[in-house]
Amino acid sequence: MNTKLKVMARAVILGLLVLLPGTAGAQRILTLDSCRAMALRNNKQMGVARMKQEVSANLRKSARTAYLPKVNAMGGYIWTSKEMSLLNDEQKVMLSNMGTNTTAKLQDALSPLVASLPVEAQAKMAQDMAQFAGALNNVGTSIVDGFRTDTRNMMAGAVTVTQPVFMGGAIIAANKIADINEEMAANSLEMKRQNTLFNIDQAYWQVVSLRHKQTLAESYLALVKKLKDDVQKMINQGVATKGDGLSVSVRVNEAEMALTQVQDGLALSKMLLCQLCGLPLNEEVTLADEASDGLGGEVAVTQQQTQQADVTATGDVETATANRPELKVLQNTVDLSRQTTNALKAGNLPQVLLTGGYAVSNPSAFNGFEKKFAGMWNVGVVVRVPVWNWGDVKYKVRASKGATAMANLELDEARELIELQVNQSNFKVNEAQKKLAMAQANVANADENLRMANLAFKEGTASHTTVMEAQTAWNAARSQLIDAEISVKLSEVELQKALGTLQ
């Protein structure tokens, strides 16, 4: 009942400290849960892991698009100093003078007949031949103009659609790789989360331990100072020597030095805790468990409980195998290596794609050469079949299979180490509980021993040396109790981390 009242009183005091304006501005009350939340929120590696998870999610979405058709549009313009010509210069001259050349040959062939005709008929025929030559020359010129390409200014554009049909399994492997990468990022985030919680728990309980040891050091210093005053009174009364006073003064100096060391260690530990929580290093913080009288509680470990811990160790290994993020990351590595092998194998398989689109150009040649845009639709199938690559894919596949084998070996080794770690953590928990039970018993004995020594010293049946020895034993027992209580907390956290269940 007294313990419950003390706990309620501490809770009321902490609540009042939070509500008091002056105290709230000077110090911050932190619980283990609040420290964990701040550490998770401010840890830089956790932020990096979250960003990697987001990157992996976007890459997975990108990989899904490989199943879908791709639409591309392109266009271009080119100016050339010369235009392409389908007719050479001689053909152009011949066609342009086609009428003249033809009439000249006709006149040569018909010259005997024309000479026998009257002058008026010859003149009329010459006039008709000239008109015929001009008309035929015009026809030849129009043919030359019709064959002109005018490619000095060329514009072209196209819209193409490509749909993969069979890529040798490369797309499927790429999507599985993207899924595994996203899962690996999540497992890495969980691993960093548990490491962060483990580190913050260690720093938190280290501060609590040192704070309790500071209180213990202050109590011990008060005890030896009181003994020094009592011895000094005895020296003044002539029942003790100065040597007795000096021996007690040495013990007081040792107690003051121990208190100074604990205070320095506490200050440094609080700085580390603030750094992990993302707080200023010099900020004054108070932990909720600093004022607690007992951290481990009453523990009584029986032989039956020890045997049960040994029996459940196998089940704990199975739990760790299912939950440890490190094993999940290694399994992801094995799966990634296997899918990489599948993607490499696709290099020796045929690939089939469907293509289609619309192409347009200016000038166009669909109705002769015209200076306007015109185009056409097209549909096709593209097949790529690897024929010979000097064994490049084969060697890459072998190398990838070797990487898979190495990843499997690392995974097996990690399972063995984790099994050992779980068993060690179980033993540490049991050992810490036993040590706590023994430390509690030692404290009770040390308290009684100190009480009896003080009583004997007051009655004059014991010397100050006996009291100092009892005080030293009392201080050591209390210090061991604090260490045992913290050890129970840390061993439980270590077991949770070994099992992958640290929340």
Side-chain angles (χ1 to χ4, degrees):
M1 183 63 67
N2 292 333
T3 303
K4 293 183 178 178
L5 291 176
K6 289 180 180 179
V7 173
M8 294 176 62
R10 286 196 302 272
V12 172
I13 293 173
L14 288 175
L16 291 175
L17 289 175
V18 174
L19 293 176
L20 287 175
T23 306
Q27 286 191 344
R28 177 182 296 189
I29 308 298
L30 298 178
T31 63
L32 179 58
D33 290 337
S34 63
C35 289
R36 284 181 164 191
M38 286 189 292
L40 292 177
R41 186 169 58 251
N42 295 287
N43 186 272
K44 301 297 188 298
Q45 292 300 318
M46 288 284 293
V48 172
R50 291 189 190 97
M51 293 183 66
K52 287 183 178 179
Q53 190 176 19
E54 184 178 352
V55 169
S56 299
N58 288 322
L59 291 176
R60 189 255 307 162
K61 294 177 182 178
S62 173
R64 292 290 188 272
T65 62
Y67 289 113
L68 304 176
K70 299 294 189 299
V71 180
N72 296 306
M74 66 186 77
Y77 166 81
I78 186 171
W79 176 86
T80 58
S81 61
K82 294 181 179 181
E83 67 177 54
M84 292 184 292
S85 177
L86 300 178
L87 302 175
N88 57 37
D89 294 338
E90 294 180 358
Q91 291 172 334
K92 292 178 182 179
V93 173
M94 183 181 66
L95 288 173
S96 299
N97 297 313
M98 182 174 57
T100 303
N101 296 333
T102 303
T103 53
K105 292 181 179 179
L106 286 175
Q107 287 178 351
D108 291 340
L110 298 176
S111 58
L113 180 59
V114 173
S116 61
L117 295 177
V119 176
E120 294 81 0
Q122 291 181 6
K124 179 68 169 120
M125 182 174 288
Q127 184 179 2
D128 293 339
M129 292 294 287
Q131 293 177 353
F132 176 75
L136 203 55
N137 286 338
N138 292 334
V139 171
T141 302
S142 65
I143 293 175
V144 172
D145 293 338
F147 275 98
R148 184 180 179 186
T149 60
D150 195 10
T151 55
R152 289 174 299 175
N153 295 280
M154 296 182 63
M155 291 172 282
V159 177
T160 59
V161 180
T162 305
Q163 172 62 57
V165 177
F166 178 75
M167 302 301 290
I171 295 179
I172 297 176
N175 276 272
K176 290 183 178 179
I177 288 174
D179 293 339
I180 296 170
N181 278 327
E182 185 177 13
E183 184 180 351
M184 180 182 287
N187 292 330
S188 298
L189 176 61
E190 174 62 18
M191 183 169 62
K192 286 183 172 58
R193 187 189 71 83
Q194 292 199 16
N195 288 335
T196 302
L197 292 179
F198 183 71
N199 293 332
I200 198 67
D201 281 18
Q202 284 188 318
Y204 181 90
W205 292 117
Q206 178 70 15
V207 172
V208 173
S209 173
L210 291 174
R211 182 66 182 86
H212 282 230
K213 288 192 175 183
Q214 180 186 14
T215 302
L216 176 61
E218 292 170 350
S219 300
Y220 178 67
L221 180 60
L223 286 177
V224 295
K225 282 185 175 180
K226 184 178 183 304
L227 179 61
K228 180 181 179 181
D229 293 339
D230 293 340
V231 171
Q232 185 62 43
K233 292 177 181 178
M234 295 174 64
I235 294 174
N236 295 335
Q237 294 174 359
V239 295
T241 65
K242 290 185 178 181
D244 295 335
L246 290 175
S247 63
V248 178
S249 297
V250 170
R251 192 60 57 92
V252 171
N253 292 335
E254 291 176 351
E256 290 176 345
M257 180 63 67
L259 177 59
T260 302
Q261 291 176 347
V262 171
Q263 289 173 341
D264 293 341
L266 178 60
L268 293 175
S269 297
K270 284 191 174 183
M271 288 183 182
L272 174 60
L273 181 65
C274 290
Q275 189 272 330
L276 293 175
C277 293
L279 299 175
L281 297 183
N282 57 352
E283 181 168 347
E284 292 293 332
V285 295
T286 301
L287 304 187
D289 290 296
E290 287 185 11
S292 60
D293 291 335
L295 301 174
E298 296 294 332
V299 178
V301 180
T302 64
Q303 183 67 25
Q304 182 181 2
Q305 289 174 328
T306 304
Q307 293 175 355
Q308 288 177 352
D310 294 338
V311 172
T312 57
T314 302
D316 288 341
V317 171
E318 295 175 354
T319 301
T321 303
N323 295 326
R324 282 292 289 268
E326 293 89 344
L327 288 180
K328 293 180 180 179
V329 169
L330 289 174
Q331 183 62 55
N332 293 146
T333 303
V334 173
D335 296 337
L336 273 176
S337 183
R338 288 173 179 168
Q339 293 304 322
T340 301
T341 302
N342 293 335
L344 291 172
K345 288 180 179 179
N348 276 337
L349 298 176
Q351 298 177 354
V352 182
L353 298 93
L354 291 178
T355 63
Y358 185 80
V360 63
S361 65
N362 183 3
S364 61
F366 300 106
N367 187 27
F369 286 93
E370 295 179 311
K371 286 289 292 182
K372 66 178 183 179
F373 285 99
M376 61 179 177
W377 295 95
N378 61 84
V379 177
V381 178
V382 178
V383 179
R384 174 184 173 273
V385 180
V387 177
W388 184 253
N389 54 24
W390 301 100
D392 175 59
V393 175
K394 178 180 67 175
Y395 299 137
K396 289 180 179 177
V397 170
R398 287 180 182 177
S400 182
K401 287 182 177 180
T404 303
M406 289 188 293
N408 274 314
L409 290 175
E410 291 178 355
L411 178 60
D412 293 338
E413 183 183 15
R415 286 197 181 104
E416 295 173 357
L417 293 176
I418 285 176
E419 181 178 357
L420 177 61
Q421 186 180 16
V422 170
N423 290 325
Q424 289 176 340
S425 298
N426 274 298
F427 288 130
K428 285 183 179 179
V429 170
N430 294 331
E431 183 182 2
Q433 291 172 345
K434 293 176 182 178
K435 286 183 177 180
L436 177 59
M438 290 187 291
Q440 289 171 340
N442 289 338
V443 166
N445 294 331
D447 289 343
E448 180 63 18
N449 183 41
L450 180 60
R451 187 187 69 80
M452 295 178 63
N454 287 327
L455 182 60
F457 180 71
K458 288 180 181 180
E459 294 176 351
T461 59
S463 65
H464 70 281
T465 304
T466 303
V467 177
M468 285 193 300
E469 291 176 353
Q471 290 175 344
T472 302
W474 176 86
N475 184 55
R478 289 282 177 178
S479 179
Q480 290 174 359
L481 178 61
I482 294 172
D483 292 338
E485 290 172 339
I486 297 299
S487 179
V488 169
K489 295 292 184 182
L490 294 180
S491 63
E492 290 173 353
V493 173
E494 185 176 349
L495 178 59
Q496 291 177 2
K497 185 176 183 296
L499 296 175
T501 58
L502 185 59
Q503 299 296 331

